[in-house]
Amino acid sequence: MSDNKSKQDGREDSKVDLNDASEVAYAAKQAGVTPSKYKELAKASGSSSREKIAEYIKKNS
């Protein structure tokens, strides 16, 4: 599922599009890791949910 940039209702904000470099860079900056590390951690967490990735980073970093 790709993000529909025309939607402004917040439904897409809970997930990170791991194929969108700007989204990954922003999420990585918030998490305090590099974009490549963020992608690794996201894949390891098994989710694209910002919340689940953050929980995984907190538990495993």
Side-chain angles (χ1 to χ4, degrees):
M1 181 174 113
S2 63
D3 285 344
N4 182 342
K5 304 297 184 192
S6 66
K7 289 183 182 177
Q8 296 297 318
D9 60 7
R11 287 186 285 168
E12 303 281 343
D13 291 341
S14 65
K15 296 188 178 194
V16 178
D17 180 356
L18 298 173
N19 296 312
D20 184 334
S22 63
E23 278 195 46
V24 172
Y26 180 74
K29 184 176 180 180
Q30 288 183 316
V33 296
T34 65
S36 60
K37 184 68 174 175
Y38 189 86
K39 285 180 89 168
E40 286 177 26
L41 293 166
K43 288 178 183 178
S45 76
S47 178
S48 63
S49 164
R50 291 180 191 272
E51 185 177 329
K52 289 185 180 183
I53 296 167
E55 288 174 13
Y56 184 84
I57 291 171
K58 192 180 252 187
K59 288 180 184 178
N60 296 288
S61 292

